[in-house]
C-alpha cells in the first residue's frame, strides 16, 4: 500500500483497533465491560475523511446556489475552508483524518483529478478550429512555456532573498508556468468572445500542462542524477512522451469509436465507457512511461458529441462538467489543508510582500513571452493581435498542475531544506489563489473594454428581430388564452407586465434609429425601409452566413439523431461546416464537400487490378475437344479436386523451400532437398502440361497460367544451372547465381493467392460499398440541410437584398447537390436503393417510436407495456445494420405498383400496366418542353432528368404569382428513379411550366393523358383515381408549406398522425365554401386562389389559410383545399376509422361494413396480445393509415 493510502486509512484503522476485542476476550464480555465504563451513543471509528468529502461537495453546491449571480469565485472560499480545517487540526483539536489528507500521495493526487480535467477540456474543444490553430498552440505550449520557465527561474535566482539554487529556481519557474485548461476559459467562454481565442487559450493550457509534466519529471531526474546515459535516455523519453502518447491517444479513440458503434442506444454504457476509458488510458500511459495528458488530449479531440448515440451528448457534457467541478473543489480543499498544515511554522510578515511580488512577476513574464512570440503567431493559423494577447495573458489561471507539482516537492525526500520546498508550496498555492481572485473576476471586464465581444449592428438587428417575433407570439398567445373559459377572470394587465421582455443591449438614440429605419407612407398605407449602406449590407450578409452555418450544423445533428445520417457522415458534414466559419463570405457547397470522399477512390483501382487475376474453375471452363485424350485432360483440369490438389502441393512445397534458407539444414540434407525440388517441379510441369492440353491456345490468355508457366521455366533453369555448376566447381560467383535462383523459388508460394483473391475482392467490395454509402449520405444530408435552412432565411437575413442573394446562393448549391445525387443513383443504383430502403425503414420506425411515446405519456399505454414495445422498436432499429449494402433497383412494374395512388389496388394497377409504355431517351433528349400541352405522365424508371423553366405556380395567375414571389433565379430541379413528371398538369390540363431534359440515359414508364382520363371515367368508385392523385399532390404541397411557414417542427410526423383526418376539398370558381367551422384544425390552399368573403383578402397557393377566415370563395378555375379535421370532432361525428373520407367520399363494399365499429373496438381487435406482435401491428397500422387516406386498404371480414 502506498504511503498516501496508508495515511488516508490510518484514522479508520485506529478507530477500528480501539473498538476491536482482544483475542482473550469474548465479544459479549467486552461489551459488558465497556458498558460499565461509559455509554457510546455515537459510533466510533467511522471514515470521517469520506464524510468530509461529501460535506465539501454539499457546501460547494450551496455556495454555487447562493453566489451564482456574483463574481465571487467558489474555489477561493473552498480554499479558505481548507485553511480553516488545517488550522483547527493544527491547534485546538487532534484531527488525524485532516493530517492524513495533508499527507496525500502526489501520484494519487495526479491520477485522481487530472484525467477528469484534461478530458473535459479536450472534449469541449472544436477540433477543426484547433487543427487550423495547431501551430499557434504548439508555439505557445513549447517554446513559450520554456521561455516562461527560464525567465521566471532567472528572476527568482537573481532577486530572491532566500538564496535558492538555480535548480530550485528552475523548478519554481516550471511550476508557475503552467495554466489550468478549465479555469482559464471559465470566465470568458460565455460572454461572446470568439471561439478562436477560447480554443487558443484552452489548447495552449492543455499542451502546456503536458509539456510541464514532462519537463518537470526530466529536470528532477537530472538533478537527482538518475540517468546513466543522459542523451540516449532523454531522447527515448521524449519520443515516448510525445509520439508514443499521441499514438496511444489515437489508437484509443479508434477502439472507443468502434466500441461505441456496437453500443446501441444505451446512454449509461456510453457514459461509463467514456469515464472509465479516460482514467484507464491515463493510468496505462503514465505506467508505460508516456504522457497521460497528451494521450487524453488526443482522445478528447478525436471524440465529439456525434461519436455517441443521439441524445447522450447533453447528459455527457453535464456529467463531465460535474466531475470537473467536483475535482476542482477537492483540489482546492486539499491544498488549503496542505498549506495550513505544512507552512504554518514558516510564516512571517515579509511573506505577504514576497507573495505579491511573485504574482506580479508571473503576469509580467507571461506578457513578455506573448509579446516576443506575437510576430510568429500573427503569421500562422487565424492570425494574432495585441487584444488577443492581452486576454491570453490575463486568463492564465494557475490550478491543478501548479498545485500538484508543488505538492510533489513538498513531500519528496531530498537534501534541500524543508524551508525551500515549503516556500515553493506556499508561493504556488497563493499565486493560484490570486489568479482566481483577481484575474478570473476582471478578465470579463478586460474583454469588454478591448471590444472583443462588442455586439455588432447585424447581431443587434438579429436580437431586435428575435424580440419582435417573441412579442408577436406572446400577443397571439394572450389572444388565444383570453378565449379560455378557465382563464377569463385572470388579471391580464399584470400578466402582460410580468412577461414583458426588454431589449438586452443598451442602446443610444442613434442606434435605436438605425434599427428602426422605417417610415410609414400615408398615401399608399405601406411601410418603407430606408436603404442601408453597402458596408451595412456586407455586415448583415456575413452575420447571416454565420448563422446559417450554425443552422446547418443543427440540421445535421438533427438528421443524425433521427437516424437519417450515419455517424461518419454527420461528423464530416459538421466538421466541414465548422471549417467554413473562419472563411469570410464563403458558403458551404457540394463541390468542396466532395473532397471528403474523393480521396478514397484508390480501392476501386485495386479491385479492378485484382479482378483481372481472378481464376475460377467453373467460370474459366471452355468447350472440350473431341479428341479423347484432350477431352480427358479437360475433365481432369476443370474439377474442384484438381484445384484442391494444386493448393495442397503448393502448401507442402513451402516447407522444403523454407529449409533451403537454414544453413545448417541445407548443408546436412542437401541431397534430399535437391530431390524434393525435382519432385515438386515435376508436379508443376505435369499441371502445366495438363492445362495446356485442356485449354489449348486459351492457356496463355490467363494471367495465372502465365505466372505458373514462368515458375516452371525458372525452376527448370534453376535445376540445369545447379547441375552444371556442381560439375565444374563452385566458385563464389557460381554460388551467388545459384542462391539467386534458390531465392526465386519463393515465388511458388504466391500460387496460394490465386484462391485468396476472390475473398480479397469481396472485402474490397464491402469497403467500397461503405464508402459509396458514406458518399451518398453526405450528399443527401447536405441537400436536407439546405432545405432546412432555406425556411430560416427570412428570419436571419435582416434585409431584402441579403435575403435575395442568400436565397440564390442556397438554391444553386442545392441544385448542384441534387445533380450529384442523381449521378450517384445512375452509377450505383443498387447501393442507392439500399440506402433509401434503410432510410425509409428508419423513418417509419421513428414514427412508430414517437407514436408509442405519445401513447405512454397520455396514459393510453401502460408504461411497463410501453417499455416492452420500445425494446422491440429498438431491436428493429438495430436490425437495420444487418440489411444488405446493395439491393437491386426496382423494375418498372415494381415502381408502378408502388405509386401511392395505385398502391394495393389491383384493378387500377392492371389497367395502367396494360396502357403504359416504356420509353427510352439518350443524354440531352427533351422529354417535354415548357408551354406545350401535357402528353401524359412519365414515371422515371432509371436515369436522371433536369427540370428548368418557370417556377410551378400551383394554379395561380402568372402576373399575380410574380408579384407575390419575385425571384430573379430560374427554376431548376433534378428528378431521379421513382419520380413522376406531369401529374398536376394532366389533372388541370394546363401547359407545362418547365422543360424536362435528360442528364443521363433515361428510361420512363409513360401513361398518356387519354389513357389517364379513360381511367378516371372507368374507376368511379370513391375515392376516385383522380381524387387520390389530388390527395398525393396536396400532401406534398402541405408538408412543404408547413416547413416553410413554421420551421423547426417535425411536420412529417404530425402529418402522419393526422393523415386519416385529411381530405381534399374542391372549391369551384365563384363558389363560396365554409371553413374553420369548429371541425377543422388547419386548412391549406394547395392549388388555385381564394378570397376571404368577409375581409376581401386574396390568398394564393400554396399557403395556410388563417383561422380568422371562416368563408372563402374560389377565384381560379381549379382550386383545392387540404382540410385537416379535428380529431375530437371526427370521433364525435363518426364511429369509423376513415370518417374523414367517408363523409365526403363514402366508400363502398366491404369498407362500409366496418362503420358500425368504434375506433377503439377496431384497435383492440387488431392488436394481438403478444407485445412483439403488437409492435409489428403498430408498424402495419402506420401503413394502413396511408392506405385509408388513398382508399387502398382492404379490411377483411371477421
Amino acid at each position: 500500500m502506498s504511503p498516501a493510502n496508508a495515511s488516508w486509512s490510518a484514522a479508520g484503522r485506529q478507530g477500528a483497533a480501539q473498538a476491536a476485542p482482544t483475542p482473550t476476550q469474548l465479544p459479549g464480555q467486552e461489551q459488558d465491560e465497556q458498558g460499565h465504563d461509559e455509554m457510546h451513543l455515537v459510533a466510533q471509528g467511522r471514515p470521517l475523511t469520506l464524510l468530509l468529502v461529501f460535506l465539501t461537495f454539499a457546501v460547494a453546491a450551496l455556495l454555487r446556489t447562493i453566489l451564482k449571480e456574483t463574481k465571487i469565485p467558489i474555489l477561493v472560499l473552498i480554499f479558505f475552508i481548507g485553511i480553516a480545517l488545517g488550522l483547527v487540526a493544527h491547534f485546538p483539536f487532534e484531527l488525524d483524518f485532516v493530517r492524513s489528507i495533508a499527507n496525500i500521495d502526489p501520484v494519487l493526487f495526479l491520477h485522481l483529478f487530472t484525467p477528469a480535467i484534461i478530458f473535459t477540456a479536450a472534449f469541449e474543444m472544436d477540433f477543426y478550429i484547433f487543427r487550423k490553430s495547431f501551430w499557434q498552440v504548439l508555439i505557445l505550449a513549447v517554446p513559450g512555456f520554456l521561455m516562461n520557465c527560464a525567465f521566471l527561474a532567472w528572476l527568482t535566482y537573481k532577486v530572491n532573498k532566500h538564496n535558492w539554487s538555480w535548480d530550485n529556481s528552475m523548478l519554481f519557474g516550471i511550476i508557475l508556468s503552467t495554466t489550468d485548461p478549465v479555469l482559464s476559459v471559465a470566465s470568458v467562454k460565455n460572454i461572446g468572445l470568439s471561439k478562436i481565442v477560447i480554443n487558443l487559450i484552452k489548447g495552449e493550457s492543455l499542451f502546456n500542462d503536458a509539456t510541464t509534466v514532462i519537463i518537470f519529471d526530466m529536470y528532477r531526474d537530472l538533478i537527482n542524477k538518475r540517468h546513466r546515459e543522459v542523451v540516449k535516455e532523454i531522447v527515448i523519453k521524449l519520443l515516448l512522451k510525445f509520439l508514443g502518447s499521441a499514438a496511444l491517444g489515437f489508437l484509443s479513440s479508434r477502439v472507443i469509436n468502434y466500441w461505441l458503434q456496437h453500443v446501441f442506444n444505451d446512454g449509461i454504457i456510453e457514459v461509463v465507457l467514456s469515464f472509465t476509458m479516460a482514467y484507464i488510458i491515463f493510468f496505462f500511459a503514465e505506467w508505460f512511461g508516456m504522457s497521460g495528458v497528451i494521450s487524453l488530449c488526443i482522445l478528447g479531440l478525436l471524440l465529439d458529441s456525434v461519436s455517441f448515440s443521439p441524445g447522450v451528448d447533453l447528459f455527457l457534457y453535464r456529467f463531465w462538467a460535474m466531475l470537473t467541478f467536483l475535482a476542482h473543489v477537492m483540489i482546492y480543499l486539499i491544498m488549503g489543508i496542505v498549506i495550513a498544515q505544512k507552512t504554518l511554522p514558516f510564516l512571517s510578515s515579509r511573506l505577504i510582500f514576497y507573495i505579491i511580488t511573485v504574482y506580479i512577476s508571473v503576469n509580467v513574464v507571461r506578457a513578455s513571452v506573448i509579446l516576443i512570440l506575437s510576430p510568429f503567431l500573427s503569421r500562422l493559423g487565424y492570425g494574432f493581435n495585441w487584444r488577443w494577447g492581452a486576454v491570453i495573458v490575463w486568463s492564465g489561471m494557475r490550478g491543478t498542475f501548479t498545485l500538484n507539482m508543488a505538492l510533489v516537492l513538498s513531500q519528496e525526500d531530498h537534501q534541500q531544506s524543508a524551508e525551500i520546498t515549503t516556500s515553493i508550496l506556499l508561493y504556488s498555492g497563493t499565486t493560484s489563489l490570486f489568479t482566481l481572485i483577481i484575474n478570473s473576476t476582471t478578465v470579463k471586464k478586460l474583454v469588454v473594454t478591448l471590444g472583443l465581444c462588442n455586439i455588432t449592428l447585424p447581431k443587434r438587428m438579429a436580437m431586435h428581430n428575435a424580440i419582435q417575433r417573441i412579442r408577436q407570439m406572446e400577443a397571439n398567445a394572450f389572444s388565444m388564452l383570453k378565449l379560455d373559459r378557465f382563464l377569463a377572470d385572470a388579471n391580464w394587465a399584470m400578466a402582460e407586465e410580468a412577461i414583458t421582455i426588454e431589449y438586452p443591449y443598451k442602446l443610444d438614440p442613434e442606434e435605436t434609429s438605425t434599427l428602426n429605419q422605417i417610415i410609414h407612407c400615408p398615401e399608399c398605407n405601406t411601410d418603407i425601409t430606408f436603404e442601408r449602406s453597402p458596408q451595412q449590407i456586407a455586415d448583415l450578409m456575413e452575420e447571416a452566413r454565420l448563422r446559417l452555418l450554425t443552422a446547418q450544423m443543427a440540421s445535421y445533428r438533427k438528421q443524425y439523431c433521427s437516424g437519417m445520417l450515419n455517424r461518419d457522415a454527420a461528423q464530416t458534414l459538421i466538421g466541414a461546416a465548422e471549417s467554413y466559419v473562419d472563411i469570410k463570405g464563403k458558403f458551404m457547397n457540394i463541390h468542396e464537400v466532395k473532397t471528403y470522399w474523393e480521396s478514397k477512390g484508390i480501392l476501386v483501382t485495386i479491385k479492378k487490378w485484382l479482378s483481372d487475376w481472378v481464376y475460377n474453375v467453373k467460370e474459366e471452363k471452355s468447350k472440350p475437344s473431341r479428341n479423347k485424350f484432350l477431352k480427358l485432360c479437360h475433365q481432369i483440369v476443370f474439377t474442384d479436386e484438381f484445384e484442391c490438389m494444386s493448393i495442397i502441393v503448393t502448401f507442402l512445397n513451402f516447407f522444403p523451400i523454407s529449409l533451403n534458407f537454414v544453413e545448417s539444414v541445407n548443408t546436412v540434407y542437401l541431397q534430399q532437398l535437391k530431390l524434393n525440388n525435382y519432385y515438386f517441379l515435376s508436379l508443376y510441369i505435369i499441371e502445366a502440361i495438363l492445362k495446356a492440353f485442356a485449354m489449348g491456345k486459351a492457356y496463355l490468355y490467363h494471367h495465372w497460367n502465365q505466372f505458373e508457366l514462368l515458375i516452371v521455366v525458372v525452376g527448370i533453369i534453376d535445376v540445369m544451372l545447379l547441375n552444371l555448376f556442381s560439375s565444374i566447381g563452385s566458385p563464389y560467383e557460381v554460388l551467388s547465381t545459384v542462391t539467386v535462383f534458390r531465392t526465386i523459388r519463393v515465388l511458388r508460394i504466391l500460387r496460394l493467392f490465386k484462391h485468396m483473391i476472390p475473398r480479397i475482392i469481396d472485402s474490397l467490395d464491402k469497403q467500397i460499398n461503405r464508402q459509396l454509402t458514406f458518399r451518398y449520405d453526405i450528399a443527401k444530408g447536405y441537400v436536407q440541410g439546405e432545405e432546412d435552412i432555406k425556411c430560416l432565411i427570412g428570419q436571419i437575413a435582416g434585409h431584402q437584398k441579403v435575403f435575395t442573394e442568400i436565397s440564390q446562393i442556397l438554391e444553386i448549391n442545392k441544385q448542384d447537390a441534387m445533380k450529384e445525387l442523381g449521378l450517384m443513383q445512375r452509377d450505383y443504383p443498387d447501393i442507392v436503393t439500399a440506402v433509401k430502403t434503410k432510410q425509409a425503414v428508419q423513418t417509419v420506425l421513428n414514427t412508430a417510436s414517437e407514436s408509442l411515446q405519445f401513447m405512454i405519456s397520455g396514459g393510453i399505454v401502460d408504461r411497463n407495456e410501453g417499455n416492452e414495445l420500445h425494446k422491440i422498436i429498438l431491436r428493429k432499429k438495430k436490425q437495420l445494420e444487418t440489411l444488405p449494402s446493395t439491393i437491386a433497383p426496382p423494375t418498372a412494374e415494381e415502381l408502378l405498383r408502388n405509386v401511392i395512388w395505385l398502391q394495393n389496388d389491383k384493378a387500377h394497377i392492371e389497367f395502367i400496366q396494360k396502357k403504359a409504355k416504356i420509353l427510352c431517351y439518350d443524354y440531352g433528349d427533351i422529354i417535354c418542353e415548357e408551354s406545350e400541352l401535357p402528353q401524359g405522365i412519365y414515371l422515371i424508371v432509371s436515369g436522371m432528368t433536369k427540370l428548368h423553366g418557370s417556377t410551378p405556380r400551383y394554379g395561380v395567375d402568372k402576373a399575380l404569382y410574380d408579384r407575390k414571389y419575385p425571384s430573379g433565379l430560374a427554376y431548376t430541379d433534378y428528378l431521379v428513379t421513382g419520380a413522376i413528371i406531369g401529374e398536376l398538369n394532366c389533372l388541370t390540363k394546363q401547359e407545362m411550366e418547365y422543360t424536362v431534359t435528360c442528364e443521363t440515359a433515361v428510361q420512363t414508364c409513360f401513361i398518356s393523358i387519354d389513357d389517364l382520363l379513360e381511367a378516371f371515367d372507368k374507376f368511379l368508385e370513391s375515392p376516385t383515381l383522380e381524387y387520390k392523385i389530388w390527395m398525393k399532390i396536396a400532401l406534398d404541397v402541405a408538408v412543404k408549406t408547413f416547413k416553410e411557414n413554421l420551421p423547426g417542427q417535425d411536420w412529417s410526423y404530425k402529418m402522419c398522425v393526422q393523415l386519416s383526418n385529411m381530405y381534399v376539398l374542391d372549391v369551384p370558381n365563384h363558389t363560396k365554401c365554409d371553413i374553420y367551422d369548429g371541425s377543422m384544425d388547419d386548412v391549406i390552399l394547395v392549388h388555385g386562389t381564394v378570397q376571404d368573403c368577409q375581409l376581401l383578402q386574396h390568398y394564393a397557393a400554396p399557403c395556410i389559410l388563417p383561422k380568422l377566415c371562416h368563408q372563402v370563395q374560389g377565384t381560379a378555375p381549379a382550386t383545392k383545399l387540404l382540410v385537416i379535421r379535428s380529431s375530437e370532432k371526427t370521433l364525435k361525428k363518426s364511429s369509423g376509422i376513415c370518417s374523414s373520407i367517408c363523409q365526403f367520399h363514402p366508400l363502398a363494399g366491404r369498407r362500409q361494413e366496418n362503420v358500425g365499429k368504434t375506433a377503439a373496438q377496431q384497435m383492440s381487435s387488431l392488436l394481438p396480445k403478444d407485445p412483439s406482435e403488437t409492435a409489428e401491428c403498430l408498424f402495419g397500422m402506420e401503413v394502413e393509415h396511408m392506405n385509408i387516406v388513398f382508399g387502398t386498404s382492404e379490411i377483411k371480414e371477421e
Side-chain angles (χ1 to χ4, degrees), residues 964-1125:
K964 184 178 181 182
Y965 304 105
S967 175
L969 189 66
Y971 172 74
T972 305
D973 199 2
Y974 293 89
L975 299 180
V976 292
T977 302
I980 300 177
I981 303 170
E983 283 175 312
L984 183 58
N985 299 87
C986 288
L987 289 175
T988 60
K989 300 178 183 178
Q990 294 179 348
E991 297 176 347
M992 299 296 292
E993 297 167 325
Y994 43 76
T995 299
V996 182
T997 307
C998 298
E999 289 290 303
T1000 64
V1002 175
Q1003 187 181 44
T1004 65
C1005 180
F1006 174 69
I1007 308 166
S1008 68
I1009 190 171
D1010 294 333
D1011 294 334
L1012 193 63
L1013 294 177
E1014 182 182 349
F1016 291 168
D1017 295 334
K1018 181 176 181 179
F1019 302 105
L1020 297 176
E1021 68 276 8
S1022 298
T1024 64
L1025 181 61
E1026 181 180 6
Y1027 173 83
K1028 289 191 287 185
I1029 297 177
W1030 271 116
M1031 173 61 82
K1032 181 256 183 183
I1033 295 173
L1035 289 174
D1036 185 40
V1037 174
V1039 171
K1040 292 180 180 178
T1041 305
F1042 276 127
K1043 286 183 177 180
E1044 290 177 0
N1045 290 273
L1046 299 170
Q1049 302 183 36
D1050 189 1
W1051 284 107
S1052 298
Y1053 171 72
K1054 293 183 179 181
M1055 295 290 281
C1056 289
V1057 173
Q1058 295 290 344
L1059 193 57
S1060 59
N1061 296 326
M1062 298 180 186
Y1063 64 91
V1064 176
L1065 183 62
D1066 183 26
V1067 183
N1069 197 7
H1070 305 300
T1071 302
K1072 295 182 179 180
C1073 175
D1074 293 333
I1075 60 174
Y1076 292 118
D1077 55 358
S1079 64
M1080 303 178 184
D1081 281 343
D1082 292 288
V1083 179
I1084 304 97
L1085 177 60
V1086 296
H1087 192 270
T1089 56
V1090 296
Q1091 182 183 27
D1092 188 340
C1093 295
Q1094 295 178 340
L1095 304 177
L1096 303 180
Q1097 176 72 35
H1098 289 272
Y1099 299 99
C1103 75
I1104 305 172
L1105 295 180
K1107 295 190 177 183
L1108 296 178
C1109 179
H1110 296 288
Q1111 190 179 58
V1112 295
Q1113 180 178 354
T1115 58
T1119 300
K1120 301 289 182 177
L1121 303 177
L1122 179 67
V1123 178
I1124 303 177
R1125 293 172 57 88

